[in-house]
Amino acid sequence: ILNVEQSPQSLHVQEGDSTNFTCSFPSSNFYALHWYRWETAKSPEALFVMTLNGDEKKKGRISATLNTKEGYSYLYIKGSQPEDSATYLCASPNTGGFKTIFGAGTRLFVKA
Amino acid sequence: GAGVSQSPRYKVAKRGQDVALRCDPISGHVSLFWYQQALGQGPEFLTYFQNEAQLDKSGLPSDRFFAERPEGSVSTLKIQRTQQEDSAVYLCASSLDPGQGLETQYFGPGTRLLVL
């Protein structure tokens, strides 16, 4: 059974702080890893999809890395802003791709 | 263009009542997914459609849950004889290509169901 775990569950930072959180997944039968951002009262929005060990993706102040051998991905936010406040979800599809397993998310609060 | 829409946005049902939740995916998207998100949890897979074919329904929690996408576009998730444990946010997502795990899923805003 594919199990995706995220930590921490929540995080409170000050504006300007850099922060990171973790997504762990079984390293066997790895296929892909997705990161999504979900702001309150909005729809989840895709950030990154990564497939290869050592992948690094960047979008503005947000970046992500992937280690498929040890089964983890880090999401980094540089210089957090209040508008970064959201729940960050990671997800991994099972081999074959129909069933995507999501972690419980990391809820980020950025205080101005 | 228009994103994924869901209706209703909020639904309050009495225990035992049947409910129907609607999802309008992005036009032309082949894949459609339904998820259930309980409070404090991540979205949990319910079912997957490729056009009108329901290829995976392994996540439906009981036979009270039924989903359809008869013409390969709009989908309806029906819950019969609702129970309190059905209270959750129901998310719909669509993607352009057949589900292979690499494509981005575009989510709707969800329907928040409360069963009293």
Side-chain angles (χ1 to χ4, degrees):
Chain A
I1 296 175
L2 185 61
N3 199 28
V4 177
E5 307 278 350
Q6 291 189 248
S7 63
Q9 194 171 40
S10 65
L11 196 53
H12 292 252
V13 301
Q14 290 289 130
E15 182 177 359
D17 287 351
S18 293
T19 187
N20 66 85
F21 23 93
T22 306
C23 172
S24 61
F25 50 87
S27 53
S28 59
N29 296 319
F30 173 80
Y31 190 66
L33 189 90
H34 297 256
W35 281 100
Y36 289 87
R37 174 170 61 198
W38 193 0
E39 295 178 68
T40 304
K42 294 187 177 179
S43 307
E45 176 192 344
L47 288 173
F48 306 114
V49 56
M50 295 185 288
T51 56
L52 298 175
N53 186 45
D55 254 355
E56 288 189 34
K57 293 280 177 87
K58 189 174 179 186
K59 188 175 184 178
R61 293 178 292 98
I62 303 177
S63 60
T65 61
L66 179 67
N67 183 325
T68 61
K69 296 187 177 185
E70 295 181 42
Y72 64 84
S73 175
Y74 292 137
L75 189 81
Y76 299 91
I77 303 178
K78 186 177 177 182
S80 303
Q81 299 297 308
E83 59 265 29
D84 296 328
S85 298
T87 297
Y88 291 82
L89 294 164
C90 68
S92 190
N94 63 338
T95 304
F98 297 154
K99 186 169 185 173
T100 300
I101 307 298
F102 280 81
T106 292
R107 189 147 187 211
L108 176 67
F109 300 88
V110 182
K111 188 175 178 182
Chain B
V4 178
S5 61
Q6 292 185 246
S7 60
R9 291 292 308 277
Y10 304 93
K11 176 71 180 177
V12 179
K14 291 183 181 177
R15 193 174 58 173
Q17 189 179 345
D18 296 350
V19 298
L21 312 180
R22 178 186 167 110
C23 172
D24 283 81
I26 294 172
S27 177
H29 276 199
V30 167
S31 294
L32 187 144
F33 303 80
W34 282 100
Y35 296 91
Q36 178 190 59
Q37 194 207 15
L39 196 62
Q41 306 291 319
E44 195 164 329
F45 173 86
L46 294 177
T47 188
Y48 166 73
F49 289 88
Q50 188 176 110
N51 296 308
E52 69 278 5
Q54 188 175 23
L55 298 187
D56 189 335
K57 56 181 181 179
S58 63
L60 296 176
S62 76
D63 58 9
R64 296 186 295 104
F65 287 71
F66 172 78
E68 60 183 4
R69 191 186 186 199
E71 295 178 5
S73 54
V74 171
S75 177
T76 304
L77 177 67
K78 297 179 180 176
I79 309 173
Q80 296 177 320
R81 305 181 303 282
T82 51
Q83 303 294 311
Q84 286 184 320
E85 62 263 26
D86 299 335
S87 297
V89 174
Y90 290 85
L91 289 166
C92 173
S94 70
S95 65
L96 181 61
D97 295 320
Q100 305 256 333
L102 297 181
E103 71 288 346
T104 293
Q105 293 183 32
Y106 295 86
F107 283 84
T111 294
R112 187 175 295 274
L113 173 66
L114 177 63
V115 182
L116 302 175

